[in-house]
Amino acid sequence: MKNHKFCQSCGMPFREDPNGGGTNADGTKNAAYCSYCYQNGSFTFNGTLKEFKEHCRQKMIEKGISKFIAWLFTRGIGRLERWKK
């Protein structure tokens, strides 16, 4: 599996992930998804791309990121591996 610099679900840089990445069902690290998006072999958020983008935007705003920057950061989520059809 390819090592990514950004989560392929939300786009967050892995250097910002306190756990260094999500976990597979067997407990090993997952190199594609962050610990906020992927735990124990499954995604933590199940919904549409539109719902997920809004979820991420709200989480960033809660952490003190401006609404504009949060919107800017979530614009490209649909191009990440999880959301490609």
Side-chain angles (χ1 to χ4, degrees):
M1 177 176 255
K2 178 182 176 185
N3 282 332
H4 299 277
K5 292 183 180 183
F6 301 92
C7 174
Q8 293 301 298
S9 178
C10 70
M12 182 180 77
F14 279 115
R15 70 178 181 274
E16 300 292 328
D17 186 346
N19 296 322
T23 53
N24 296 312
D26 63 2
T28 60
K29 287 288 181 196
N30 185 288
Y33 304 111
C34 73
S35 62
Y36 296 113
C37 291
Y38 200 73
Q39 296 175 2
N40 301 316
S42 61
F43 290 106
T44 60
F45 184 91
N46 294 308
T48 66
L49 172 59
K50 183 178 180 180
E51 291 168 339
F52 185 68
K53 286 169 74 171
E54 181 59 24
H55 170 77
C56 291
R57 195 176 74 75
Q58 290 301 321
K59 290 294 183 184
M60 284 189 269
I61 291 168
E62 287 174 16
K63 291 187 179 278
I65 295 172
S66 76
K67 289 180 181 181
F68 175 75
I69 296 298
W71 168 80
L72 193 65
F73 284 167
T74 57
R75 285 181 40 204
I77 288 177
R79 293 188 294 264
L80 297 170
E81 286 182 13
R82 176 183 180 187
W83 304 104
K84 287 182 180 178
K85 299 276 181 204

